[in-house]
Amino acid sequence: MTKPGEGHQGASLGESYRLYYTGFRLAYRQKLEADFYRLGRARTVRDTSGEVKRLFDAVFAEIEEPGPHSALMAESLFQQLLIRVVRLYRAAALQDGDPGDGPLAPAMKALLHYLHEHASIDFNATDLAKRQHLSRTHLEREFKRAFGMPLGKYIRMLCTDRAKYWLAETSETITSIAEKLGFSSLHAFSVFFKRQTGISPYAYRHPASPNDEKR
């Protein structure tokens, strides 16, 4: 599951697999909107029952071989698929606290989009609050209530995930990645990354390499 500004971070673990991909606008599914916005950062979950695959196959079958009322059937199946995904993530969620119930405030949705579109360790809570026309205290309190974790921790998790993706899926230099994420130096980025993951950026990109410090 990806959010605005993120890239797909699939992993086969050495097995062959088929990638199912679909995009949708949460604005058209308001009853599910808050649940999807509140999904945590670890958005890779195993579908051990195979139910998600079954629903994807059924949706594609209705689209590729349409019968009477296929559009309505595909819509119904897709709704079931989204609910199943929410349940899988809820069962696997690891968060600091339980997020609040009910719909997200427009300011929180706007903030989430901004964070994911411009992921940076340089984000400042005071500046973010001004963008949303809120006080810093109110912003931090509402964010914790809505997403179950402090704003600062969410930003660190977001930067870590973005760094992992660029390290694993692109050929960008580690220095370039550090700059894109707003770090003042390669050293600062390396210290941050190792604190968050337990290994250096180079070791993450080259897990079999004996030289952990090579750039």
Side-chain angles (χ1 to χ4, degrees), residues 73-120:
M73 178 62 81
E75 174 71 18
S76 174
L77 290 166
F78 190 64
Q79 187 90 339
Q80 293 179 54
L81 172 64
L82 295 181
I83 293 170
R84 178 61 183 166
V85 167
V86 166
R87 290 179 176 178
L88 281 172
Y89 279 109
R90 280 199 170 214
L94 295 174
Q95 297 184 346
D96 290 351
D98 294 327
D101 293 324
L104 289 175
M108 292 298 102
K109 289 192 284 187
L111 174 61
L112 191 67
H113 275 275
Y114 183 78
L115 292 176
H116 282 262
E117 186 176 358
H118 306 282
S120 173

Side-chain angles (χ1 to χ4, degrees), residues 149-209:
M149 68 178 68
L151 173 60
K153 181 168 185 177
Y154 192 93
I155 291 171
R156 291 191 296 274
M157 289 178 169
L158 175 60
C159 288
T160 302
D161 279 357
R162 197 62 56 85
K164 285 180 176 179
Y165 173 71
W166 285 330
L167 287 167
E169 304 295 336
T170 76
S171 58
E172 287 197 61
T173 66
I174 298 176
T175 298
S176 174
I177 292 171
E179 291 173 352
K180 287 176 67 173
L181 289 172
F183 287 90
S184 59
S185 67
L186 175 60
H187 176 71
F189 171 62
S190 297
V191 170
F192 167 84
F193 191 85
K194 191 165 187 176
R195 184 179 295 133
Q196 298 299 313
T197 66
I199 60 175
S200 72
Y202 183 85
Y204 186 86
R205 172 169 276 177
H206 304 284
S209 173

Side-chain angles (χ1 to χ4, degrees), residues 126-144:
T126 300
D127 293 338
L128 292 172
K130 287 180 181 178
R131 288 186 60 87
Q132 304 304 322
H133 307 290
L134 300 171
S135 71
R136 174 173 178 160
T137 300
H138 184 65
L139 177 76
E140 291 179 328
R141 182 176 63 248
E142 286 301 299
F143 192 92
K144 178 69 181 292

